[in-house]
């Protein structure tokens, strides 16, 4: 196969890929929805398509972050953005940890554990965006 050099054809190819991705995602969601209705939430999450859907969503989100950072016009300070993002993530993690600890029959260690997991899962994208902004500022 030859590499496409015409910009119009490249754009048309990207649009076709976008349509195919949407159809594939709708199909996956339809299958997972059917499993959810017939087998419940456990049956849905046991389906290997659940794993494919989650991985695709995470990769899509990271790719979108890359594009949105490149699209930013203002020269935001990467350090200030990282600090604010981490503070908000920490606040959300603390609130979730406290709410889980206060629920009946749940030990405080469970709240601390889940709050920590939420902070780590929220902190990774914060550092990723920081790295992207830092790289953009250096160029």
């Amino acid at each position: 196969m030859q590499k496409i050099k015409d910009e119009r054809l490249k754009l048309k190819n990207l649009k076709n890929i976008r349509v195919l991705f949407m159809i594939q995602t709708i199909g996956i969601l339809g299958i997972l929805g059917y499993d959810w209705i017939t087998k419940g939430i456990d049956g849905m999450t046991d389906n290997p398509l659940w794993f494919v859907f989650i991985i695709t969503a995470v990769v899509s989100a990271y790719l979108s972050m890359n594009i949105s950072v490149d699209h930013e016009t203002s020269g935001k300070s990467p350090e200030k953005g990282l600090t604010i993002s981490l503070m908000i993530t920490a606040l959300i993690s603390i609130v979730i940890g406290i709410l889980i600890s206060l629920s009946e029959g749940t030990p405080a260690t469970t709240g601390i554990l889940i709050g920590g997991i939420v902070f780590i899962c929220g902190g990774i994208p914060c550092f990723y965006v920081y790295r992207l902004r830092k790289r953009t500022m250096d160029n």
Side-chain angles (χ1 to χ4, degrees), residues 76 79-97 115-127 133:
K76 294 181 180 179
E79 290 82 12
K80 182 178 178 183
L82 177 65
T83 304
I84 292 171
S85 297
L86 286 177
M87 286 192 311
I88 291 171
T89 304
L91 180 67
I92 292 170
S93 301
I94 290 169
V95 168
I96 289 173
I117 290 170
V118 168
F119 180 74
I120 291 170
C121 291
I124 291 171
C126 294
F127 282 108
R133 285 182 179 153

